[in-house]
Amino acid sequence: MIPTVAINWAVVEPILPELLLIGIGVLLIGLDIFVPRQRQVLPWLTVVGCLTTLAMVVGSRPSVAFGGMFLVDGYAIVFKSTCLAGVILTTLMSEHFCRIIGLRQGEYYSLMVFSAVGMLMMASAGDLMVLYLGLELMALPIYALVGLHKTEQRTSEAAIKYFLMGSFASALLLFGMSLLYGLTGTTDIARIAELIATLHLGNNPALMAALALLIAGFCFKVAVAPFHLWTPDVYEGAPTVITAFMSVSPKVAGFAIFGRLLFLGLPELHEHWGPVLAVLALLTMAVGNITALCQRSLKRMLAYSAIAHAGYALLGLLAGTAEGLAATMTYLIIYLFMNMGAFGILMLLATPDQPHESLDDCKGLASRHPLAAAMMLVFLFSLTGIPPTGGFIGKFYLLKAAFSAGYTLTVIGAVLFSAISAYFYLRVVRYMYMSESQQTISCSFSPGMTAALGLCLLGVLGFGFFPGPLLDWTTAALAGM
Amino acid sequence: MFTQIFFGYCALMIISSGILAISLRNPVHCVLMVLVLFFHMAGLYLTLNAEFLAAVQIIVYAGAILVLYLFVLFLVSLREELNLDAFVPSAWLGRIIAVGLAGGLLFVIPSFILGEKGVWSMSAIKELTHTKALGQEMYSTYLLPFEIAGLILLIALIGGLVLARREANIPLEPEAPEESQTCGHPNRKEVSL
């Protein structure tokens, strides 16, 4: 009498990219255990696997699977591609950096791949349960990755801090979700929106509490002030390659679920979450940019800059329009390239016995290694938002979206803080080009690192000069929403 | 009436044992407090007619997971206490935030209204038995979350293993030359758990 559900091809088809990635992850562990001498193929296998998945994701047809729990729409495809691009760039950089710091665990790559599976799940989540489980699936491998390099004291502290704050954020999220479930009786995000409209829950205080808890949880995950306190320590303590990964891919995935829940599930409440996010965005930009001014460590400065960029990305969300969401997506894609690039140059500076993370270490980089200095210059210009780099295009559309939605004060604040940020970004440029070199270490490029930095440079400059296709892609992706 | 008193008792015990679990100094006492908490959680599930969940709560959490915690506590030397810098500068600030949060949540409770009912009515569950209904839903409607949860357990296993394993002492060297790869590298042995 129990009806059995036949698992056939049509059911499995939408999650094929995820299944492929899971297969790659398991294969990576197997190769590491059974063929330990061939470890050098692991990063390349990861890259090839992620590229195949990327191709499958981009080529997938829009569909709804598992009764609305798994959505493959344009929105999901853009976010999935961005996350996968982040994983690919990180993997390309990993080979070089792991050799320098002596990180040789083979599980490293499979953990990263499993984390990517979590991100894909998050981007496609149409149900609160899948959303939360995807989040945990993404976060768990990263906790392990942060603590993987056990010879350094800082990393263990960073890992435990990240784990505790991550669990705390998950608890807040779960509390908010349970209130939402209690009020509506469903975990389907689209159905929640319908029920809020039909039951006239728009001004219910309990729903407001749920919204507040959800926003707090999401802000923890994407490191938005005042929930950013864990970020600088964790980003500084983690191995630089993991920091680069953490500051991009999980953040993009976090924005994916943030946007999905707010736009698909709680559009009725825009008048409530719009102003709240505006205040949070202003606060984040202020905290990130002003604190970055007084950092002597380049890595910590980039950590604060990552916080500030989360604030910029919020500008598109708070507008509550499709235009704003498209601007956020565009910005996140450009941010992926420029932030990865800046961290990549930081990784080039590292040597086996010294991490070389302070600002003094980039003094005279231009005379030691003109190419690395020139690339850093482009990435820093882009992070500041100076044309003709991609950073300018991204920021411009964000500000435009927030402005046309009526958040004039927030836009003015964003421009001001952007101007402040020019000081600390360009200070690095000054050190690189106008100071005498103190060391004589030379940077060595590995094939993976060259490819990753080349891709980043191509992304930053390409989207700066020809932003049209990217904008068309993100705008078209939202056509169905 | 009895259900309400029972619920009140369970809720009170959960809150107080939860607070005790994070404020007691002795880790063994903390774990025992969590045990009390788990038993009362199981009691709460009983008031909701979720017998299966109550049984699982006791067998898995109280029976297996907590015993593991106790083992870890006994195996790890606890003589030195870890002191991390607090995120919130003053303990009182944290307490004020906590009380504010609790007050806010208590304030919104009166306006809470129940949403729409699910497809499983009480009688339908009684007819099919709870465990059967749960299994049926889990393997049909909620197949995807169920599988993701399985994957999460796998990751937790791998992550725990990676973190617990001692770091292999490999001297830093450029890519191993061809002959040393064929004749085997003595240092390349990894010490696992």
Side-chain angles (χ1 to χ4, degrees):
Chain A
M1 67 157 283
I2 295 174
T4 48
V5 185
I7 299 293
N8 55 24
W9 182 249
V11 176
V12 177
E13 201 200 338
I15 59 162
L16 267 184
E18 283 79 5
L19 290 180
L20 175 76
L21 262 194
I22 294 171
I24 297 278
V26 174
L27 185 67
L28 283 169
I29 299 179
L31 277 182
D32 178 50
I33 294 172
F34 296 111
V35 205
R37 301 213 186 292
Q38 302 295 325
R39 279 226 179 122
Q40 63 275 21
V41 302
L42 297 185
W44 302 108
L45 181 65
T46 314
V47 170
V48 170
C50 288
L51 274 177
T52 321
T53 316
L54 184 63
M56 284 167 82
V57 164
V58 172
S60 54
R61 281 177 288 127
S63 55
V64 175
F66 294 97
M69 284 190 185
F70 192 84
L71 311 171
V72 186
D73 47 7
Y75 178 85
I77 291 175
V78 170
F79 274 106
K80 281 177 169 184
S81 316
T82 317
C83 291
L84 281 171
V87 175
I88 293 171
L89 286 177
T90 317
T91 315
L92 285 173
M93 291 177 175
S94 300
E95 184 220 359
H96 174 84
F97 190 71
C98 292
R99 199 175 58 232
I100 284 182
I101 63 167
L103 189 72
R104 289 188 181 232
Q105 271 102 338
E107 291 87 354
Y108 173 89
Y109 295 104
S110 66
L111 283 174
M112 201 171 280
V113 167
F114 281 126
S115 178
V117 177
M119 291 171 202
L120 299 192
M121 288 291 173
M122 284 160 81
S124 276
D127 190 285
L128 290 181
M129 262 190 276
V130 177
L131 186 145
Y132 174 72
L133 287 170
L135 185 70
E136 289 300 306
L137 182 57
M138 174 207 79
L140 262 180
I142 300 180
Y143 300 144
L145 281 174
V146 172
L148 204 56
H149 191 44
K150 275 164 293 195
T151 45
E152 206 175 336
Q153 183 65 43
R154 282 191 305 176
T155 58
S156 315
E157 195 193 324
I160 203 87
K161 255 184 191 169
Y162 191 35
F163 178 66
L164 287 177
M165 293 319 277
S167 325
F168 185 55
S170 294
L172 286 180
L173 260 183
L174 276 181
F175 207 148
M177 284 181 191
S178 64
L179 278 178
L180 207 54
Y181 173 67
L183 283 165
T184 58
T186 175
T187 52
D188 190 321
I189 297 176
R191 181 93 183 107
I192 286 174
E194 279 171 35
L195 283 169
I196 287 176
T198 52
L199 297 175
H200 304 293
L201 288 171
N203 283 313
N204 190 312
L207 189 62
M208 291 303 114
L211 179 68
L213 287 167
L214 286 171
I215 289 184
F218 284 132
C219 287
F220 259 114
K221 290 290 178 190
V222 296
V224 162
F227 308 103
H228 69 288
L229 292 169
W230 57 273
T231 324
D233 289 344
V234 173
Y235 280 17
E236 198 189 7
T240 312
V241 64
I242 301 299
T243 311
F245 178 64
M246 273 199 296
S247 68
V248 175
S249 288
K251 203 172 260 190
V252 171
F255 270 108
I257 51 171
F258 205 161
R260 176 81 79 181
L261 194 56
L262 290 185
F263 277 75
L264 189 66
L266 307 166
E268 291 274 315
L269 305 179
H270 176 238
E271 53 181 305
H272 298 290
W273 54 257
V276 172
L277 288 188
V279 173
L280 290 181
L282 261 185
L283 194 64
T284 311
M285 288 183 277
V287 167
N289 285 321
I290 292 173
T291 330
L293 285 178
C294 45
Q295 300 305 321
R296 291 304 299 170
S297 157
L298 184 55
K299 196 173 175 185
R300 207 172 167 84
M301 190 200 93
L302 284 176
Y304 278 108
S305 117
I307 296 176
H309 283 278
Y312 297 130
L314 269 188
L315 286 177
L317 279 191
L318 62 89
T321 54
E323 185 204 358
L325 201 53
T328 296
M329 281 149 76
T330 315
Y331 190 70
L332 286 173
I333 294 172
I334 294 169
Y335 167 76
L336 159 86
F337 289 108
M338 57 193 190
N339 209 44
M340 277 291 195
F343 273 110
I345 301 288
L346 188 60
M347 279 178 235
L348 272 186
L349 293 177
T351 51
D353 31 87
Q354 259 276 311
H356 289 297
E357 285 162 2
S358 80
L359 278 176
D360 297 327
D361 290 313
C362 46
K363 276 187 179 164
L365 185 67
S367 56
R368 269 185 290 153
H369 209 294
L371 187 61
M375 279 199 281
M376 190 64 166
L377 176 84
V378 173
F379 297 138
L380 289 173
F381 270 24
S382 184
L383 283 168
T384 323
I386 297 175
T389 53
F392 168 73
I393 302 290
K395 229 173 239 178
F396 174 76
Y397 281 100
L398 279 176
L399 294 178
K400 190 170 148 248
F403 188 76
S404 54
Y407 293 94
T408 322
L409 267 180
T410 319
V411 172
I412 294 174
V415 173
L416 275 179
F417 289 124
S418 225
I420 290 177
S421 76
Y423 172 75
F424 62 84
Y425 288 130
L426 299 185
R427 186 172 56 177
V428 180
V429 174
R430 203 193 75 207
Y431 279 162
M432 285 193 309
Y433 279 92
M434 296 170 196
S435 297
E436 282 302 306
S437 178
Q438 287 170 341
Q439 304 112 345
T440 49
I441 40 158
S442 61
C443 325
S444 62
F445 286 87
S446 73
M449 197 58 149
T450 318
L453 284 176
L455 280 175
C456 290
L457 195 66
L458 194 71
V460 169
L461 288 180
F463 292 140
F465 284 112
F466 309 105
L470 181 65
L471 286 169
D472 291 343
W473 188 43
T474 50
T475 318
L478 287 175
M481 261 183 97
Chain B
M1 185 62 201
F2 169 75
T3 329
Q4 275 171 354
I5 293 173
F6 186 67
F7 173 82
Y9 161 73
C10 282
L12 209 66
M13 284 304 282
I14 286 175
I15 294 173
S16 45
S17 57
I19 292 175
L20 280 176
I22 54 169
S23 52
L24 287 177
R25 304 297 288 183
N26 186 337
V28 180
H29 293 172
C30 296
V31 173
L32 291 178
M33 275 302 142
V34 176
L35 182 71
V36 174
L37 189 149
F38 282 161
F39 272 111
H40 287 89
M41 291 271 280
L44 273 193
Y45 290 142
L46 279 183
T47 64
L48 296 170
N49 287 321
E51 305 87 4
F52 181 73
L53 273 187
V56 166
Q57 173 83 18
I58 288 179
I59 294 170
V60 175
Y61 279 93
I65 293 180
L66 266 182
V67 174
L68 270 183
Y69 279 174
L70 279 176
F71 264 117
V72 171
L73 277 184
F74 290 135
L75 288 176
V76 174
S77 126
L78 288 165
R79 247 161 261 144
E80 68 243 60
E81 202 172 334
L82 268 179
N83 270 318
L84 281 178
D85 293 338
F87 284 107
V88 186
S90 142
W92 279 104
L93 187 62
R95 278 171 204 153
I96 290 170
I97 294 174
V99 168
L101 190 63
L105 286 174
L106 283 177
F107 172 74
V108 300
I109 281 182
S111 57
F112 189 87
I113 39 171
L114 262 185
E116 62 172 13
K117 290 250 163 50
V119 285
W120 286 93
S121 65
M122 203 57 138
S123 54
I125 293 181
K126 281 238 171 74
E127 192 193 330
L128 199 65
T129 73
H130 191 83
T131 315
K132 213 171 189 175
L134 200 70
Q136 198 174 320
E137 280 289 296
M138 197 103 92
Y139 283 101
S140 55
T141 322
Y142 297 101
L143 183 64
L144 183 69
F146 183 71
E147 295 297 335
I148 302 177
L151 195 59
I152 289 179
L153 287 182
L154 174 72
I155 310 294
L157 199 70
I158 299 172
L161 207 68
V162 168
L163 288 183
R165 192 172 59 187
R166 237 179 296 158
E167 190 128 5
N169 282 322
I170 311 167
L172 245 129
E173 49 179 347
E175 278 305 302
E178 207 56 44
E179 62 264 27
S180 81
Q181 279 197 1
T182 45
C183 70
H185 209 286
N187 286 330
R188 201 162 278 223
K189 211 179 84 190
E190 295 211 341
V191 188
S192 60
L193 264 181

